[in-house]
Amino acid sequence: MSTEPDLSLVAAPKQDGLLHRAAEEIAEMFGVHRQLDKLLYESAQQVGGVEFASIFNPIPIERLNAKPRPDAINHDQAFLRSNPLSSAETESALGLLEILHGDFAGDNIDVFEAFAEREKFFERLADGHSFVFVGSHLEFQDVGFNLGYLTRAAHRYGFDRLDTRTTLMIGRLLGYLEVMGLNVIDDILRKASNVLKTFPVSGGEAVNEGDITDEDLNRRVRNFRKQQNTRTRQEFMNLMTSDHGHLVIEAGSGSRDAKDEHGYVVMEPFAGGTREDLYLAVQAGASIYPIFGDYGNTEEPSVVEIGNEITSLASPQHAHGIGEIIASMGNRARGAAAKEHPEIARFRAPIRYGNYEVHKD
């Protein structure tokens, strides 16, 4: 039996009335879902060409035809609640930090613990204040590591679990990837937080409608993505306006940052939706913390720095300034690390925030 997913469109029967309309809706839903599967699975296979490639693998292709549909790749679900059955499961997922970073993991926890003490972070979270951590992907997706190390710091403060207080805002591509046989979303990230899935509009995780040859399907994919991102924003604002303190951790550029012809890191500018979210968050009373996370491995140390609290933005456009802050923090932190570790090449690579004045959202 072939393991290729059935990506053919379901043809709607030619009846009139309610049955006909229902069949059309079913055909549209399956056509969009299968096309998204095709595009995102192809993107997952291409992840093997980047740094740290040995960590990520595409999920088995058979999962695309699974019933019921796995939450991680269910396109009708935007907000996924955390799913640990016990603290031991959360601890098992967090154990990947020590596996991937070895002896350097303790130093990373110290950074988040010092931040929490400086800002009285956990006390304010418990009192009902909401926060957004905004980082960048650099050469490696760092959102999950920011979550993991913050959770480790919470353990030192006596919090048994942090999952009900935190949400990761991530691209849907991660649902098509696994690490050490564990699905990145369902088996790892949801053990320590809620997950809010988005369709990024730029970079390697974007759904490129230009790859869809059927113009009618192109329209349906575009409309579906727009509807789902609207749902994502609504869920985000529900968190920001709740009297239950909440933390959202995201990478504002929504995709892996690029390298130019000189090997310099170029941060993908924040898209219009991201800028609007950040603006609305501070309008609702939340605080933003820029975070620079340059995570290494078992052989190379990480460099992590958390910036000063941001409580106001004059407009969504001014959210670009947060990206500038992250790039500045990164250059300063890498410069200091390069003096201590001159043998590590990545510490000598400058970082700049992309040209957002001409960037098209």
Side-chain angles (χ1 to χ4, degrees), residues 92-141:
S92 176
L94 293 176
L96 288 173
L97 298 173
E98 283 75 21
I99 293 174
L100 296 176
H101 296 152
D103 294 338
F104 299 116
D107 293 335
N108 298 338
I109 299 173
D110 291 342
V111 172
F112 284 89
E113 184 177 20
F115 158 79
E117 176 64 28
R118 182 189 84 203
E119 301 295 321
K120 305 301 178 189
F121 178 79
F122 294 117
E123 293 89 338
R124 295 166 67 194
L125 187 64
D127 285 341
H129 198 80
S130 290
F131 304 90
V132 183
F133 277 13
V134 184
S136 74
H137 282 319
L138 294 174
E139 293 100 331
F140 190 72
Q141 279 83 347

Side-chain angles (χ1 to χ4, degrees), residues 12 18-31 220:
L18 292 176
L19 181 60
H20 176 58
R21 287 200 296 274
E24 284 185 329
E25 291 177 1
I26 291 173
E28 178 161 331
M29 177 184 70
F30 279 102
R220 285 180 267 149

Side-chain angles (χ1 to χ4, degrees), residues 46-347:
Q46 294 169 8
V47 168
V50 298
E51 287 116 311
F52 300 93
S54 61
I55 295 177
F56 292 108
N57 290 295
I59 60 175
I61 199 166
E62 294 85 356
R63 302 265 178 89
L64 303 186
N65 291 323
K67 295 181 181 180
R69 184 80 161 171
D71 285 349
I73 57 174
N74 185 340
H75 298 297
D76 285 324
Q77 295 195 47
F79 188 72
L80 306 179
R81 297 288 181 184
S82 60
N83 64 1
L85 298 176
S86 66
S87 296
E89 284 194 299
T90 302
E91 181 63 28
S92 176
L94 293 176
L96 288 173
L97 298 173
E98 283 75 21
I99 293 174
L100 296 176
H101 296 152
D103 294 338
F104 299 116
D107 293 335
N108 298 338
I109 299 173
D110 291 342
V111 172
F112 284 89
E113 184 177 20
F115 158 79
E117 176 64 28
R118 182 189 84 203
E119 301 295 321
K120 305 301 178 189
F121 178 79
F122 294 117
E123 293 89 338
R124 295 166 67 194
L125 187 64
D127 285 341
H129 198 80
S130 290
F131 304 90
V132 183
F133 277 13
V134 184
S136 74
H137 282 319
L138 294 174
E139 293 100 331
F140 190 72
Q141 279 83 347
D142 62 350
V143 173
F145 289 145
N146 293 338
L147 164 70
Y149 285 117
L150 185 69
T151 304
R152 284 286 197 224
H155 290 170
R156 292 184 179 180
Y157 273 82
F159 283 75
D160 184 40
R161 292 238 299 268
L162 202 60
D163 57 280
T164 61
R165 297 280 187 171
T166 57
T167 296
L168 292 182
M169 186 178 289
I170 58 177
R172 292 167 182 247
L173 174 64
L174 288 182
Y176 292 80
L177 295 169
E178 62 182 23
V179 174
M180 300 180 185
L182 301 175
N183 183 276
V184 172
I185 290 181
D186 282 341
D187 298 330
I188 299 176
L189 298 180
R190 290 180 69 189
K191 292 296 193 298
S193 72
N194 305 306
V195 168
L196 186 52
K197 297 189 292 184
T198 71
F199 282 107
V201 296
S202 62
E205 294 181 31
V207 175
N208 181 10
E209 286 92 356
D211 292 337
I212 304 172
T213 56
D214 185 307
E215 182 55 35
D216 186 49
L217 182 58
N218 182 307
R219 172 189 61 80
R220 285 180 267 149
V221 170
R222 186 161 49 245
N223 289 340
F224 182 83
R225 186 177 69 174
K226 181 178 180 180
Q227 292 167 2
Q228 291 298 308
N229 277 346
T230 297
R231 288 182 58 196
T232 296
R233 171 168 291 178
Q234 290 172 343
E235 293 287 358
F236 174 77
M237 289 310 300
N238 286 341
L239 298 174
M240 293 296 98
T241 57
S242 172
D243 63 353
H244 179 76
H246 213 89
L247 166 67
V248 173
I249 303 177
E250 66 168 316
S253 52
S255 62
R256 182 183 302 278
D257 297 321
K259 286 186 177 180
D260 63 16
E261 65 275 16
H262 305 293
Y264 298 171
V265 177
V266 182
M267 288 177 58
E268 181 76 18
F270 297 170
T274 296
R275 301 198 305 271
E276 183 73 16
D277 287 345
L278 295 175
Y279 174 72
L280 293 175
V282 294
Q283 291 291 101
S287 297
I288 297 172
Y289 282 105
I291 179 168
F292 172 75
D294 179 8
Y295 289 98
N297 50 37
T298 57
E299 303 297 326
E300 296 183 0
S302 304
V303 178
V304 186
E305 184 172 328
I306 306 175
N308 294 324
E309 182 178 11
I310 297 171
T311 58
S312 65
L313 290 171
S315 72
Q317 183 72 4
H318 283 80
H320 280 307
I322 299 173
E324 298 279 9
I325 291 172
I326 295 171
S328 177
M329 289 195 309
N331 283 318
R332 182 172 61 251
R334 277 190 164 184
K339 293 180 180 178
E340 187 174 353
H341 302 281
E343 75 284 0
I344 299 179
R346 81 177 198 275
F347 291 156

